[in-house]
Amino acid sequence: MATILAIESSCDETSASICKDGKILSNIIATQAVHEKYGGVVPELASRAHQQNIIPVVVEAILAAKVSKKDIEAVAFTRGPGLLGSLLVGTSFAKGFALALNVPLIEINHMHAHILAHFIDDPKPAFPFLCLTVSGGHTQIILVKDYFDIEIVGETTDDAAGEAFDKTAKILGLPYPGGPLVDKQARLGNPHAFNFPEPQIPGLNFSFSGLKTSILYFVRDHKKLDPDFVQNNMTDICASVQYRIVTILLNKLKKAAKQYNISHVAIAGGVSANSGLRDLLTETAAKENWQIYIPAFEYCTDNAAMIAIAGYYKYIHGDFVGQDVSPLARMDF
Ligand code: KG4
Ligand code: ZN
């Protein structure tokens, strides 16, 4: 039983959460608008924004949870993977806070936390289950045997699904982060208006770089004939690209479910907020007889509540790290 403060600062969201005995009491997220005009996250600007945001975000998380600083019994933080300068802000803060309160430190792998976000609310998945983790930097199918016993059974060999969304948006002239904007446009369009090819990758791995190239050439060729092609067909292009990305994901997930004979299927990470993915997963579940787990929107994209819940399960096991811990830009499970 414990009250845990959790810190997330791996990319461009500064977030803090308080969790008591496995229940989330607060989840405060400061999003950094500074990157919008650059068409992507600028690492140096992200670190500076984390530095500015971290104390107000933590103070707000403590206030919103109606606890006091002295109630905190452990500090969990994202050690990696992510942008090193961003991770350094959260890690240094967590270390300082834990040292001042003389409480243990818990390191968390960000991608692992995306999966464990399914244990915040009910219904919680039963082990073993398959989790498709789709974010800006990762696309993996994970066999989750227990909280901390997981196996990557498929992953992207090049771009991540989130990157495919963001790069599509960039080609279409939409601002960063493009994923949610492509999703919004796609809802109004025809997913079968244009046909983008499905890559033939063996096994359970993914590839999205060919799709990006085909979108680039498709737009270039059509613009030669009609300079306003993109503006006039925005919703149909977005719907068709989104349809292809989510069918690539779902086809591999179906293959994995058959191969491992598992019918409990979850999605996690920023792209799990995508309406096309959620709809197709729900449709597939009805056909395949799957039990599916879709996280609440606030726990799809980066947040500290998922770090807190992962921290809670590590706390129970007494899995702590020392003050000599340092962040890792690349971090395996
Ligand atoms: O998990 P996340 O917040 O950060 C990383 O750990 O990378 O994921 C961010 C990614 C971005 O690529 C963003 O465009 C994508 O998730 N994303 C979406 C949607 N919401 C966020 N992609 C498609 N549709 C959405 N609704
Ligand atoms: Zn993430």
Side-chain angles (χ1 to χ4, degrees):
M1 295 298 137
T3 301
I4 296 170
L5 165 68
I7 310 287
E8 156 63 31
S9 72
S10 64
C11 190
D12 59 343
E13 251 95 32
T14 319
S15 182
S17 169
I18 300 281
C19 160
K20 188 171 185 208
D21 306 337
K23 195 167 167 286
I24 299 300
L25 301 184
S26 63
N27 180 37
I28 306 298
I29 305 167
T31 304
Q32 304 177 359
V34 64
H35 309 289
E36 266 166 36
K37 58 177 177 288
Y38 298 100
V41 177
V42 184
E44 177 64 24
L45 296 179
S47 322
R48 291 181 199 197
H50 282 304
Q51 194 72 40
Q52 283 177 343
N53 294 341
I54 189 114
I55 290 175
V57 162
V58 170
V59 168
E60 209 179 319
I62 293 173
L63 282 175
K66 297 192 172 62
V67 296
S68 95
K69 239 181 348 195
K70 65 176 179 359
D71 297 327
I72 294 167
E73 290 157 275
V75 182
F77 68 99
T78 304
R79 186 179 180 194
L83 301 170
L84 197 67
S86 292
L87 291 165
L88 260 169
V89 177
T91 305
S92 306
F93 181 90
K95 284 164 74 167
F97 202 95
L99 192 63
L101 292 186
N102 195 23
V103 296
L105 265 176
I106 305 169
E107 64 163 37
I108 302 294
N109 178 306
H110 178 89
M111 294 312 294
H112 204 153
H114 269 303
I115 301 169
L116 294 183
H118 284 287
F119 293 89
I120 294 175
D121 290 329
D122 288 329
K124 299 178 173 70
F127 300 114
F129 65 94
L130 285 171
C131 187
L132 173 73
T133 44
V134 270
S135 71
H138 290 79
T139 298
Q140 297 171 326
I141 298 179
I142 312 237
L143 175 60
V144 189
K145 299 174 216 169
D146 205 342
Y147 298 105
F148 296 101
D149 182 7
I150 64 175
E151 187 188 334
I152 302 168
V153 297
E155 62 188 331
T156 184
T157 52
D158 42 53
D159 292 350
E163 247 175 310
F165 273 107
D166 295 337
K167 286 178 176 170
T168 300
K170 204 167 185 176
I171 294 169
L172 300 178
L174 298 171
Y176 178 86
L181 301 174
V182 172
D183 187 358
K184 202 170 160 200
Q185 296 285 335
R187 285 176 215 205
L188 307 169
N190 172 8
H192 305 293
F194 306 107
N195 184 29
F196 294 101
E198 177 163 4
Q200 300 305 313
I201 308 295
L204 298 175
N205 285 340
F206 302 92
S207 166
F208 288 101
S209 66
L211 178 64
K212 175 191 66 192
T213 312
S214 74
I215 298 163
L216 196 64
Y217 290 165
F218 168 86
V219 167
R220 184 198 61 188
D221 294 347
H222 280 84
K223 268 185 163 173
K224 276 186 198 152
L225 306 169
D226 172 11
D228 296 328
F229 176 77
V230 169
Q231 280 67 34
N232 293 339
N233 295 278
M234 186 64 94
T235 57
D236 283 349
I237 301 172
C238 288
S240 303
V241 171
Q242 178 168 298
Y243 174 78
R244 180 50 70 219
I245 295 174
V246 301
T247 49
I248 291 172
L249 294 171
L250 255 301
N251 286 344
K252 292 289 180 168
L253 205 45
K254 275 198 275 189
K255 203 167 170 181
K258 281 210 177 70
Q259 196 169 317
Y260 289 91
N261 194 23
I262 288 180
S263 59
H264 286 240
V265 179
I267 54 172
V271 180
S272 62
N274 183 264
S275 62
L277 179 60
R278 288 169 168 246
D279 290 350
L280 193 62
L281 179 67
T282 308
E283 226 176 84
T284 310
K287 283 190 199 141
E288 305 280 327
N289 239 335
W290 287 352
Q291 177 77 40
I292 54 168
Y293 303 91
I294 300 178
F297 278 111
E298 64 173 316
Y299 304 136
C300 287
T301 45
D302 291 347
N303 67 88
M306 67 184 194
I307 307 302
I309 200 77
Y312 169 70
Y313 287 106
K314 280 203 159 184
Y315 185 93
I316 293 172
H317 290 101
D319 191 350
F320 305 128
V321 288
Q323 280 283 337
D324 56 346
V325 67
S326 53
L328 298 169
R330 293 174 68 91
M331 186 179 179
D332 293 334
F333 289 122

